[in-house]
Amino acid sequence: MSYVDEVIAKVIEQNPAEPEFHQAVTEVLESLRPVIEANEEAYKKDALLERIVNPERQFKFRVPWVDDKGQVQVNTGYRVQFNSAIGPYKGGLRFHPSVNLGIIKFLGFEQIFKNSLTGLPIGGGKGGSDFDPKGKSDREVMAFCQSFMTELCKYIGADTDVPAGDIGVGGREIGYMFGQYKRIRGLYEGVLTGKGLTFGGSLVRTEATGYGLLYITEELFKDHGETLEGKTAVVSGAGNVAIYAIQKAHQLGAKVVTCSDSTGWIYDPEGIDVELLKEVKEVKRARLTEYAAARPSAEYHEGRGVWQIPCDVALPCATQNELHLDDAKQLVANGCKAVCEGANMPTTIDATKYLQENGVWFIGGKASNAGGVATSALEMSQNSERLSWTFEEVDKKLKDIMVNIYHNIDDAAKRYGCEGDYVVGANIAGFEKVAEAMTAQGIC
Ligand code: NDP
Ligand code: 2IT
């Protein structure tokens, strides 16, 4: 059995009932085969792959809080500090009822390679809770966030581990958690990113993941002699990533005709009205039925279905495993040219293979959604120097980072004879830097 197969088998055996973690590890290690096989004996002797698939440490903790009726509720909190070879642990916090250790480990594992691809000094980590912010009052969300941070604050710090947002965690939650950290630790430091602009946040961080996704998509089209001007795009999700992906796609001349949430989806042939979507999702925290009610050109459908709408570009921006083989077949049949992931692991492995085999340009989330964490790292830099940069400065740095990522992953794929396979390219380029740093730092 090859070293790669041995490690994949061990991960599946040693981490039972964590299918998303198995999927993320399998996808990365399968594509590292040529790199590992070129140096198999040395990597195996150093157990490099066993070390990279095992978190440096992980925390699981009780989060008790009191709801508006006076009832005590108990949720579970997690933080997985996966790999600190190239910098302090960095990665978001997800609050969603589906959160469990396996989900946090898959996200933390992906984060190692994503963060490496940004070219900035950040290691990989992730955390969260099975708490569901949906339908909770502001006071309940604050009570939960304060309790969550009361425990988490023991393990994080501006130079050790810097969390941020993810699904269910936006500016409001980061604000409550920052306040509680400061209160308990007595430190005013950049321990979280995605902060409000009045207390150390960076301009562009809110927009960064969606904007970054479009910057890399634009570079991909440019490299193939095309532009996004006049293209039709379908987007899933209606949260932070989706909203700013739609906004930037429109600025670049494309028309986005769909978005979705966990109950239904919108088809709006006139193009999604971003201001209305922001009002419905960011201000009212309401369902997409409200968007449809306010927009005569929009159709609302229950369930899932955005991938059936003909498009040139598909941008999955909601959650993991939301684009399946059947959806991939539909996209190919409709002439879709490119799929770039805004979410983490939204495309199943068989759907990814089908898209690639049928000539669709496919960029995986590690590369294409790295703009969010990259801008978080820029927020850390600004906090360290106690200065704030202008919108234009941060936006330019973000764009440069995304253009660089595109060329790095494209070059890595070419170096290993897999031209056009941006999944292989991203995994290899991300891995090389981490592996070199781990090797240089000895067995740890
Ligand atoms: P938000 O919470 O802002 O939005 C998530 C969106 O996805 C909502 O529209 C939500 O619908 C929908 N959604 C969530 N879970 C499901 C589900 N199980 N089934 C169907 N729809 C679902 O999160 P973000 O926009 O921040 O995150 C979206 C994706 O992007 C995630 O994969 C995240 O890991 C990834 N990402 C986020 C980054 C960031 O900076 N925020 C950076 C890089 C990646 P509803 O409102 O009904 O729940
Ligand atoms: O998945 C991700 O990269 C994020 N949720 C953003 C992490 C961060 O630290 O900004």
Side-chain angles (χ1 to χ4, degrees):
M1 204 192 262
S2 77
Y3 181 37
V4 163
D5 290 323
E6 228 176 79
V7 175
I8 294 176
K10 234 185 264 178
V11 165
I12 293 171
E13 190 196 321
Q14 293 174 349
N15 302 270
E18 295 182 357
E20 293 85 2
F21 182 52
H22 304 166
Q23 183 182 341
V25 168
T26 303
E27 189 247 302
V28 171
L29 295 196
E30 286 285 1
S31 64
L32 291 179
R33 251 179 229 287
V35 185
I36 303 299
E37 280 164 12
N39 206 1
E40 183 160 317
E41 216 175 300
Y43 283 143
K44 195 169 174 175
K45 186 155 181 277
D46 281 357
L48 189 91
L49 293 184
E50 287 88 338
R51 285 189 287 142
I52 222 164
V53 298
N54 270 292
E56 289 175 18
R57 70 190 68 71
Q58 56 196 39
F59 305 100
K60 181 176 178 196
F61 47 92
R62 180 173 75 205
V63 189
W65 56 281
V66 183
D67 72 15
D68 284 347
K69 296 193 184 97
Q71 174 64 49
V72 174
Q73 301 287 343
V74 181
N75 287 100
T76 304
Y78 303 90
R79 185 73 184 167
V80 174
Q81 298 182 333
F82 225 117
N83 192 297
S84 62
I86 64 171
Y89 310 104
K90 182 83 197 84
L93 297 170
R94 176 176 291 191
F95 293 170
H96 193 272
S98 64
V99 163
N100 56 44
L101 185 60
I103 299 247
I104 299 299
K105 278 165 67 183
F106 117 63
L107 291 161
F109 183 70
E110 294 267 299
Q111 201 81 43
I112 305 170
F113 306 96
K114 181 195 306 194
N115 292 4
S116 167
L117 284 174
T118 66
L120 300 168
I122 39 179
K126 199 85 188 189
S129 174
D130 58 357
F131 173 73
D132 186 359
K134 229 177 271 157
K136 304 287 191 299
S137 69
D138 279 351
R139 195 212 59 82
E140 288 176 320
V141 171
M142 181 174 73
F144 173 81
C145 287
Q146 291 182 336
S147 181
F148 181 83
M149 184 52 85
T150 300
E151 187 61 29
L152 184 69
C153 74
K154 299 167 191 167
Y155 316 116
I156 61 175
D159 291 313
T160 49
D161 183 356
V162 182
D166 193 82
I167 291 178
V169 178
R172 174 182 60 171
E173 291 74 18
I174 294 289
Y176 292 148
M177 287 190 277
F178 183 76
Q180 185 73 352
Y181 179 86
K182 186 164 60 74
R183 201 171 158 205
I184 299 182
R185 297 287 301 269
L187 287 172
Y188 203 109
E189 59 170 6
V191 66
L192 292 161
T193 59
K195 299 185 290 298
L197 296 176
T198 52
F199 54 98
S202 174
L203 287 160
V204 194
R205 177 61 189 90
T206 304
E207 297 85 352
T209 311
Y211 278 21
L213 173 66
L214 268 295
Y215 291 147
I216 201 168
T217 306
E218 186 188 30
E219 192 64 17
L220 167 74
F221 273 70
K222 192 170 147 201
D223 199 34
H224 289 83
E226 296 196 33
T227 70
L228 289 174
E229 188 69 45
K231 300 287 192 295
T232 300
V234 296
V235 165
S236 64
N240 173 265
V241 180
I243 288 172
Y244 294 96
I246 297 170
Q247 186 172 75
K248 184 53 75 176
H250 287 171
Q251 287 172 12
L252 296 175
K255 179 156 83 170
V256 179
V257 294
T258 67
C259 63
S260 65
D261 65 15
S262 52
T263 41
W265 59 286
I266 294 285
Y267 174 50
D268 190 342
E270 303 270 294
I272 298 291
D273 178 338
V274 179
E275 288 314 310
L276 175 60
L277 185 62
K278 285 172 77 169
E279 175 68 21
V280 171
K281 284 292 172 185
E282 291 181 345
V283 182
K284 294 188 181 159
R285 299 179 188 274
R287 312 308 304 161
L288 283 175
T289 41
E290 291 213 12
Y291 176 95
R295 177 93 171 154
S297 57
E299 292 170 15
Y300 177 79
H301 301 270
E302 294 280 326
R304 52 193 296 284
V306 299
W307 314 124
Q308 73 196 38
I309 301 296
C311 66
D312 303 298
V313 192
L315 305 170
C317 297
T319 192
Q320 64 274 359
N321 293 330
E322 53 156 324
L323 198 164
H324 309 148
L325 182 58
D326 283 351
D327 305 317
K329 288 183 178 168
Q330 185 74 66
L331 287 167
V332 168
N334 288 342
C336 174
K337 283 180 188 234
V339 174
C340 301
E341 297 182 328
N344 286 307
M345 210 169 74
T347 314
T348 59
I349 292 182
D350 54 357
T352 304
K353 289 213 169 93
Y354 185 86
L355 291 166
Q356 290 180 315
E357 282 164 9
N358 286 277
V360 176
W361 311 323
F362 181 92
I363 307 190
K366 272 184 213 88
S368 50
N369 72 37
V373 75
T375 308
S376 278
L378 300 178
E379 182 172 327
M380 290 166 71
S381 299
Q382 293 169 77
N383 292 164
S384 296
E385 63 176 17
R386 302 193 192 284
L387 291 173
S388 325
W389 305 338
T390 64
F391 190 95
E392 290 69 27
E393 268 177 285
V394 182
D395 192 37
K396 161 119 187 19
K397 286 187 203 294
L398 167 63
K399 187 167 182 185
D400 289 347
I401 288 167
M402 299 312 296
V403 167
N404 271 333
I405 291 177
Y406 175 76
H407 291 288
N408 285 341
I409 67 175
D410 186 40
D411 289 348
K414 285 178 182 154
R415 269 193 282 128
Y416 283 89
C418 307
E419 180 162 359
D421 188 335
Y422 306 109
V423 173
V424 165
N427 288 332
I428 291 177
F431 170 80
E432 281 176 336
K433 181 175 171 187
V434 176
E436 194 183 320
M438 285 175 73
T439 304
Q441 290 171 33
I443 302 308
C444 56

